[in-house]
Amino acid sequence: MQWSCGILDSADKIMEMKWLLYVTLLALGTLAAQEHDVGDDDGDDVIDIEDDLDDGVEDVEDSNPESSTPPPAPKVTYRAPVPTGEVYFVESFDKGTLDGWILSKAKKDDTDDEIAKYDGKWEVQDMKDTKLPGDKGLVLVTRAKHHAISSKLSKPFVFDTKPLIIQYEVNFQNGIECGGAYVKLLSKTPELNLDHFHDKTPYTIMFGPDKCGEDYKLHFIFRHKNPKTGKYEEKHAKRPDADLKTYFTDKKTHLYTLVLNPDNSFEILVDQMVVNSGNLLNDMSPPVNPPREIEDPNDQKPEDWDERPKIPDPDAVKPDDWDEDAPAKIADENAVKPEGWLDDEPEYVADPDAEKPEDWDEDMDGEWEAPQIANPKCESAPGCGTWQRPMIDNPNYKGKWKPPMIDNVNYQGIWKPRKIPNPDFFEDLEPFKMTPFSAVGLELWSMTSDIFFDNFIICTERAVADDWANDGWGLKKAADGAAEPGVVGQMMAAAEERPWLWVVYILIVAFPVFLVVLFCCSGKKQPSAAEYKKTDAPQPDVMSDEREEEKKRRQGGRGGSK
């Protein structure tokens, strides 16, 4: 019996622990929710919990200043990137000047003189809130102005057997309302004059981010020369499937890369991750090559061409009992006027409390009449005025008779003009071989200021571009990461702004503990004596053990008396 009671007591204690843990979790969640509600209420009676916590923190800091001091964040030292291979253009702006860059003096055509000038301001500055002192960049300073600046390559880029890689960084320090941050690779022509760089200056490639309203774009456009006419036409890459919004709104520095290969394939990367890819022959709009055949513009549809797949049955006859004049609705003859209906009372009456305004001029405004209000006598009645039977659907209504539709035996299909060879057809299987370019330029309009550009590079080797990125953008990323709080710090900061997160944190921590107690600490309940009696299962021979002990004591007693 003592053994059985001990098992029962242990099981009861475990159940008490389970209930105690459950109640504790419930209480903690309720308190956290109440704290959130109190924090949301505005008024003088709000308890300033943060002050109490601050006092507690100060006490702890006074008692143990060494343990409360956070470890210093790792320091990232800036060092200007250096290209590791052949390049056509590099610029890190770390000299702090615009040496090598030319500000445009042009004016836009077909624009009001007040805004036609390219008088937007450019400066070399440190980034706002920079974590890398000494890392400078080119900043579009002014808003609502035309900006144009350009610089020559060390030598013209000719599209032959090597890839083209262009890469640079952008930071929308103030976000972006409407404006672009794309770059133009200016075509090598005898007429190229960077002093008069403007929107009509011929370019070979335009690449980079652009945004207005909620339309977030990442342009890749190249100008293709028609081999038959010699005219240029813009070809736009398909829009990427990736969501680009974050790159415009998070106020972080992002790395934009375009890779063009001699096999006509291309890749567009943001922060060294591919966001778009394709082929110049298949994934541009309009296509590089026109169709081989086109519709004959002189072909005309014959007058007897029948495009009707169905026609009314010419042999159908309207049935004699079809009544086209039957109304769709009729009065319900079974309806009965409700008792208490006030036939002699109008639905609306003149407002007895209304008074003619003092400034009412009957000569100017006409005879004054009190405004109409709902008849108060009708409020307690089922209705007022002349009672009319309600309208119901007419069971005999059929509407205007129409013959049924049957298949048209003369149907010839939808007519289309015949195809003829396209007189403008050409086939360019190497669109990669574009017009050489000799300068890089930024020609932009923006409604937001302080757009930050940095670390331009144009080269042919992917490894060179990657090294440049790691030494520039990678360093910025490392510095930002070192300055950010750890995971725990971020969670605490988030909970300070949104107190309801404490409930989530408590449940995440406490729930696994609850499961451990539930499944690991609870032993298998032993059956009671009553349960043994209900079955033939053997039970511990407790009584036999007790008799054996008693027998040994008696034998020992008899031996001692001798």
Side-chain angles (χ1 to χ4, degrees), residues 39-57:
D40 289 343
D41 293 335
D42 294 331
D44 297 334
D45 297 333
V46 177
I47 299 174
D48 195 350
I49 298 177
E50 291 185 359
D51 290 345
D52 295 340
L53 290 175
D54 290 341
D55 293 340
V57 171

Side-chain angles (χ1 to χ4, degrees), residues 84-307:
T84 58
E86 182 184 10
V87 296
Y88 289 78
F89 183 81
V90 287
E91 180 61 84
S92 65
F93 301 101
D94 291 323
K95 299 186 300 292
T97 67
L98 287 174
D99 289 348
W101 290 84
I102 300 173
L103 295 172
S104 176
K105 303 179 183 66
K107 292 176 62 176
K108 290 195 71 167
D109 296 333
D110 305 324
T111 307
D112 294 339
D113 289 339
E114 295 180 359
I115 60 172
K117 292 182 179 180
Y118 283 91
D119 56 355
K121 190 175 181 181
W122 299 90
E123 289 183 2
V124 175
Q125 301 176 355
D126 286 343
M127 191 189 307
K128 293 180 179 180
D129 303 322
T130 181
K131 309 299 187 301
L132 285 174
D135 180 15
K136 300 181 181 299
L138 177 65
V139 179
L140 182 150
V141 178
T142 46
R143 62 181 297 276
K145 286 184 176 292
H146 294 289
H147 304 75
I149 192 170
S150 57
S151 182
K152 282 189 171 295
L153 275 60
S154 59
K155 59 180 177 180
F157 186 94
V158 178
F159 295 87
D160 46 26
T161 60
K162 293 183 178 181
L164 165 66
I165 302 173
I166 175 169
Q167 182 173 272
Y168 67 107
E169 302 169 15
V170 177
N171 187 315
F172 296 106
Q173 301 183 94
N174 297 333
I176 183 70
E177 179 183 348
C178 183
Y182 43 81
V183 63
K184 290 182 176 180
L185 306 182
L186 305 180
S187 301
K188 181 179 181 298
T189 63
E191 298 80 16
L192 180 61
N193 183 354
L194 299 185
D195 286 324
H196 291 84
F197 171 39
H198 57 91
D199 59 322
K200 300 292 195 306
T201 300
Y203 68 89
T204 300
I205 290 174
M206 187 175 103
F207 168 65
D210 188 17
K211 182 251 183 183
C212 203
E214 290 300 311
D215 190 11
Y216 302 89
K217 297 178 181 178
L218 182 51
H219 292 297
F220 165 40
I221 306 171
F222 80 94
R223 295 173 70 245
H224 179 260
K225 185 177 181 180
N226 187 314
K228 296 191 70 172
T229 64
K231 294 183 179 180
Y232 285 87
E233 184 179 25
E234 290 184 350
K235 308 296 181 180
H236 296 247
K238 63 181 181 181
R239 292 184 71 115
D241 295 330
D243 184 6
L244 306 175
K245 183 176 181 178
T246 303
Y247 306 131
F248 293 85
T249 59
D250 63 3
K251 299 182 180 180
K252 294 183 178 180
T253 302
H254 293 288
L255 181 72
Y256 295 90
T257 308
L258 170 66
V259 180
L260 271 177
N261 296 306
D263 64 357
N264 300 318
S265 64
F266 68 86
E267 284 186 332
I268 299 173
L269 302 91
V270 180
D271 298 344
Q272 298 182 323
M273 299 290 292
V274 176
V275 298
N276 198 3
S277 62
N279 190 285
L280 299 178
L281 289 172
N282 306 320
D283 300 299
M284 307 302 290
S285 178
V288 169
N289 295 312
R292 291 181 178 273
E293 293 183 325
I294 60 171
E295 295 180 347
D296 186 355
N298 299 319
D299 193 14
Q300 295 183 352
K301 182 173 69 173
E303 294 182 359
D304 59 350
W305 189 278
D306 196 339
E307 293 182 327

Side-chain angles (χ1 to χ4, degrees), residues 442-480:
L442 297 166
E443 187 267 318
L444 305 169
W445 165 274
S446 177
M447 293 302 297
T448 308
S449 61
D450 296 328
I451 303 177
F452 184 92
F453 300 85
D454 200 6
N455 293 332
F456 289 85
I457 186 170
I458 299 175
C459 60
T460 60
E461 298 180 44
R462 191 70 170 264
V464 174
D466 289 344
D467 290 342
W468 180 263
N470 293 334
D471 293 342
W473 172 78
L475 208 58
K476 288 186 179 72
K477 185 178 180 182
D480 290 341

Side-chain angles (χ1 to χ4, degrees), residues 36 44 65 100 135 148 165 207 211 295 320 328 362 395 424 427 459 463 495 520 524 526 536 543:
H36 174 52
D44 297 334
D135 180 15
I165 302 173
F207 168 65
K211 182 251 183 183
E295 295 180 347
D320 294 335
E362 293 192 354
D424 298 324
E427 189 173 40
C459 60
C520 299
K524 182 179 179 181
Q526 298 295 329
D536 293 332
M543 296 302 295

Side-chain angles (χ1 to χ4, degrees), residues 371-407:
Q372 297 286 302
I373 62 172
N375 190 342
K377 295 181 180 179
C378 299
E379 293 180 359
S380 58
C384 291
T386 303
W387 180 80
Q388 295 180 346
R389 299 179 184 276
M391 303 298 287
I392 60 173
D393 293 334
N394 184 359
N396 297 319
Y397 172 74
K398 295 183 179 179
K400 185 175 179 59
W401 181 83
K402 295 179 181 179
M405 302 297 287
I406 61 173
D407 292 335

